[in-house]
Amino acid sequence: MILEMKVPSPGESIKEVEIATWLVKDGDYVEKDQAIAEVDSDKATLELPAEASGIITLKAEEGDAVAVGAVVCLIDTDGAKPSGNAKVAEVKPVAEAPKAEVKVEAPTRGAAESSVAKAAPAPTSYAANTPSPAAKKILDEKNIQPSDIVGTGKDGRITKEDAVSAIPSMGTPTGGNRGSSRTKLSMLRRKVAERLVAAKNETAMLTTFNEVNMTPINTVRNEYKDAFKAKHGGLGLGYMSFFTKAVTRALQLYPDVNSMIDGTDKIAYDFCDISVAVSGPKGLMVPVVRSAENLTFRGVEAEIKRLAIRARDGQITVDDMTGGTFTISNGGVFGSMLSTPIINPPQSGILGMHNIIERPIAVNGQVEIHPMMYVALSYDHRIIDGRESVGFLVAVKEALENPVELLMGGDAKKALEL
């Protein structure tokens, strides 16, 4: 019996996917539920499991865009499982060079001159090695003598193309590998690019900045992180739980930041679904921490860890990234000092965290050195006014600089469930 495997629908709004990688080869024997391919949608990368055991015949190439419901492979369920050294699909992905990649290596000077010399006619007239006016200008700029190259024009004349491709023997170094490559962007990366451009073009985006003294948070973390880790099964007490709690508090104080525009309507939310930007093997992922305002510090850390692991392992689903009312992006883990994060549409705001640097600041009239972080709020000015945006960011700053009182109800041990 021949079973036709069709592309399942990854989500309600997704009409096509792209075959990112085949994990099996044509003619392999596959087991039921074995992952046979990775497919990219515009929201996530998903694994395609075999629907039955048998011999597989591939009907699509890597890089092909196929419609949801289209047949991508056939499985002959009557095919017997090979024994010995016969072909059996490996469970691990097979690493193959991307078919879309075309690498162009730059020729060495010797090779270039040799090919030019072979293509060039033998000098037979006064025009031999005489540059055209355009070629002469280029050769002068490169400090190359016409006698050092062979012209390929009529009667050996040096053309503009000859001058452009000529490699100078002195001056600016030109050695080394100067190759280039071309690869097709994944469907996910193309969708990210499309959404980022749309966010810039379709919103009135502004960014406001502030700075946070991280000493109070560091004090709490240094005092309780070991006990927190021991109590909660190795779970770390990171900065993201403090920022998430500070953001949910500020969103409740300034609900316009937790709303979005839909045509001529304003949609306001009484819950805080926080999108957290994380870097995965397929690029930027933005999974959502649901109802973050109701989570404890342990709950936030556990959920962020779970989502980060799924992103790292390529297991993030469309449901994991659907929704979200506000986004937090932590560029500080890569060393960013300051940035203007781009809104994640249709949301109206995004908070950018940055690296922590010790800097001198004035404290009660005295100069002291403290670990400081710049924070940035990008917001859609169509729906959020300056008062709300600045007030929101100040509320975040206040909560981070007084975490015990404003985020932990005055009792750090109780808030950390110690």
Side-chain angles (χ1 to χ4, degrees):
M1 173 182 171
I2 302 298
L3 172 68
E4 293 184 338
M5 272 199 59
K6 299 179 180 180
V7 178
S9 175
E12 185 177 340
S13 61
I14 298 175
K15 303 301 181 185
E16 69 174 12
V17 299
E18 185 176 283
I19 304 297
T21 306
W22 280 111
L23 305 180
V24 297
K25 296 178 180 178
D26 197 48
D28 281 349
Y29 183 87
V30 297
E31 299 283 358
K32 182 179 179 181
D33 295 328
Q34 174 186 337
I36 60 173
E38 290 182 353
V39 295
D40 283 343
S41 72
D42 58 10
K43 294 185 178 179
T45 297
L46 307 172
E47 287 187 343
L48 187 65
E51 296 177 4
S53 299
I55 304 297
I56 191 168
T57 302
L58 308 184
K59 292 297 184 181
E61 299 288 338
E62 290 184 358
D64 285 355
V66 292
V68 170
V71 176
V72 289
C73 66
L74 305 176
I75 298 179
D76 182 0
T77 59
D78 295 329
K81 183 175 182 179
S83 59
N85 296 325
K87 290 202 307 184
V88 179
E90 296 183 11
V91 175
K92 294 184 179 180
V94 179
E96 296 183 352
K99 297 185 178 181
E101 183 172 348
V102 179
K103 192 165 185 178
V104 181
E105 295 289 345
T108 62
R109 180 184 179 186
E113 291 178 348
S114 176
S115 62
V116 169
K118 290 179 180 179
T124 57
S125 74
Y126 72 93
N129 291 97
T130 301
S132 68
K136 185 176 187 307
K137 180 181 180 183
I138 295 172
L139 293 177
D140 289 343
E141 292 173 350
K142 291 186 174 184
N143 195 27
I144 298 176
Q145 296 299 320
S147 58
D148 291 339
I149 62 175
V150 178
T152 61
K154 184 178 180 181
D155 296 327
R157 181 180 293 274
I158 298 173
T159 66
K160 179 181 178 181
E161 289 72 22
D162 295 333
V164 170
S165 61
I167 301 175
S169 58
M170 300 178 62
T172 304
T174 59
N177 182 13
R178 289 173 55 80
S180 63
S181 63
R182 180 188 294 269
T183 56
K184 186 177 181 180
L185 292 176
S186 69
M187 185 174 288
L188 177 61
R189 174 53 61 183
R190 296 198 301 269
K191 187 63 176 181
V192 168
E194 178 185 318
R195 286 169 61 85
L196 291 177
V197 172
K200 293 286 286 185
N201 293 339
E202 297 172 9
T203 66
M205 192 174 75
L206 290 179
T207 306
T208 185
F209 304 93
N210 216 315
E211 62 179 359
V212 177
N213 184 348
M214 300 295 288
T215 298
I217 289 180
N218 286 346
T219 300
V220 173
R221 291 183 69 243
N222 291 337
E223 183 174 355
Y224 297 110
K225 64 181 181 181
D226 291 338
F228 186 88
K229 188 173 184 178
K231 177 68 179 293
H232 302 301
L235 194 63
L237 179 61
Y239 291 112
M240 281 302 299
S241 55
F242 288 92
F243 273 82
T244 301
K245 298 294 288 183
V247 162
T248 57
R249 173 182 177 272
L251 288 175
Q252 291 169 333
L253 293 174
Y254 296 92
D256 279 351
V257 185
N258 198 41
S259 59
M260 57 187 67
I261 290 179
D262 182 16
T264 58
D265 297 331
K266 169 184 172 181
I267 303 175
Y269 300 95
D270 57 5
F271 56 87
C272 302
D273 282 357
I274 305 300
S275 303
V276 180
V278 297
S279 180
K282 296 292 184 178
L284 183 69
M285 305 283 183
V286 194
V288 181
V289 178
R290 311 285 178 184
S291 298
E293 76 280 7
N294 297 325
L295 296 178
T296 62
F297 279 81
R298 181 189 63 81
V300 172
E301 292 289 356
E303 182 64 2
I304 290 177
K305 180 179 180 179
R306 183 186 72 84
L307 293 171
I309 291 174
R310 288 177 64 82
R312 182 197 64 193
D313 296 342
Q315 298 177 346
I316 283 289
T317 66
V318 174
D319 290 339
D320 290 326
M321 296 190 292
T322 299
T325 62
F326 186 87
T327 296
I328 300 176
S329 176
N330 185 7
V333 297
F334 304 111
S336 171
M337 183 189 77
L338 192 63
S339 67
T340 55
I342 298 179
I343 295 170
N344 179 22
Q347 298 173 18
S348 298
I350 178 172
L351 179 72
M353 302 166 56
H354 301 91
N355 62 354
I356 301 172
I357 299 293
E358 288 193 341
R359 294 199 305 271
I361 62 171
V363 179
N364 298 323
Q366 301 294 322
V367 176
E368 298 180 6
I369 296 178
H370 286 270
M372 304 296 294
M373 175 192 286
Y374 290 121
V375 289
L377 172 70
S378 292
Y379 62 98
D380 189 346
H381 208 349
R382 295 178 303 165
I383 194 170
I384 303 171
D385 291 332
R387 174 183 172 275
E388 281 72 28
S389 63
V390 174
F392 172 89
L393 197 56
V394 169
V396 170
K397 170 185 171 68
E398 290 173 345
L400 295 173
E401 292 185 339
N402 191 7
V404 176
E405 294 300 323
L406 298 182
L407 300 179
M408 297 177 163
D411 190 339
K413 284 189 175 182
K414 182 177 180 182
L416 298 175
E417 302 174 61
L418 301 178

